[in-house]
Amino acid sequence: MDISVLMAFVAAALVISVVPGPDMMFIIANGIARGRRAGVVAALGMSTGLAVHTVAAALGLGTLLHAAPAVLDALRIVGAVFLVYLAATTLRSSRRREQRPAEQPPANRPLRRTYVLAVLTNLANPKVILFFLAFFPQFLVVDGGWPAWVQFLVLGAVFIAVGLTVDGAVGLATGALSTLLFRQPSVRRWLDRLSAAIFGALAVRLVADQT
């Protein structure tokens, strides 16, 4: 693979990664609600989902999904259900916090659960595969010595590395902000509600989005 093509891809991936999207908003919501570790774990979960999407697209499954609109609709509904669930549990956490003494720390969702929900939320968005199929071929080198599917996997790995770097930094930053505000229960409750609102908005966007 030509190094100049790879560097151009890295630059494009960086631009795409820094533009706020559903994945980043999910990470921000978790960082705000549960701190730095949850934000970083959510970023890792999203990257795991992207890895699955990359392999699926390299194997041509994206073409199959594109040809079956009903499958895409079903995946969108599943993703929306996950996000509504997250919004509801975050609101419940906020209400429980109102009933606890200010000095008592909140009970956090296990990080493993945050990771799994991040993976499932990413996988439930089939437009990721379709985006890969539209974006990656622009950087494939014909007669470059590597089979197209190998180049696809390499580009996917680079895209994930760039995205994880950006998303991880976002998770750390929002988590740090959440930690600083933790001692103010009223602010903390409003941060929970903001997180729930983000999850709810992402659910609406996923259902309304048409492929």
Side-chain angles (χ1 to χ4, degrees), residues 19-97:
V19 175
D23 285 6
M24 185 179 290
M25 296 308 294
F26 182 93
I27 293 164
I28 289 173
N30 275 280
I32 288 175
R34 294 174 178 84
R36 287 175 291 187
R37 290 204 299 170
V40 172
V41 168
L44 289 170
M46 288 295 176
S47 293
T48 302
L50 288 177
V52 176
H53 279 304
T54 299
V55 174
L59 295 176
L61 297 184
T63 303
L64 174 62
L65 288 176
H66 191 60
V71 176
L72 297 178
D73 291 339
L75 289 174
R76 274 199 295 270
I77 296 300
V78 170
V81 169
F82 277 121
L83 292 168
V84 169
Y85 166 76
L86 290 177
T89 55
T90 302
L91 282 177
R92 282 202 304 269
S93 175
S94 176
R95 294 192 184 101
R96 286 196 302 266
R97 190 166 292 127

Side-chain angles (χ1 to χ4, degrees), residues 130-201:
L130 303 182
F131 166 75
F132 282 2
L133 290 175
F135 178 62
F136 283 20
Q138 303 175 52
F139 299 91
L140 297 180
V141 178
V142 180
D143 299 327
W146 292 6
W149 68 270
V150 174
Q151 295 184 57
F152 208 105
L153 292 177
V154 170
L155 292 177
V158 172
F159 188 88
I160 291 168
V162 173
L164 180 58
T165 300
V166 173
D167 290 344
V170 170
L172 283 172
T174 54
L177 175 63
S178 175
T179 301
L180 287 174
L181 297 175
F182 171 69
R183 296 181 183 276
Q184 304 179 45
S186 61
V187 175
R188 182 72 187 190
R189 287 193 294 271
W190 279 107
L191 288 178
D192 280 342
R193 291 164 186 168
L194 174 61
S195 298
I198 291 174
F199 290 136

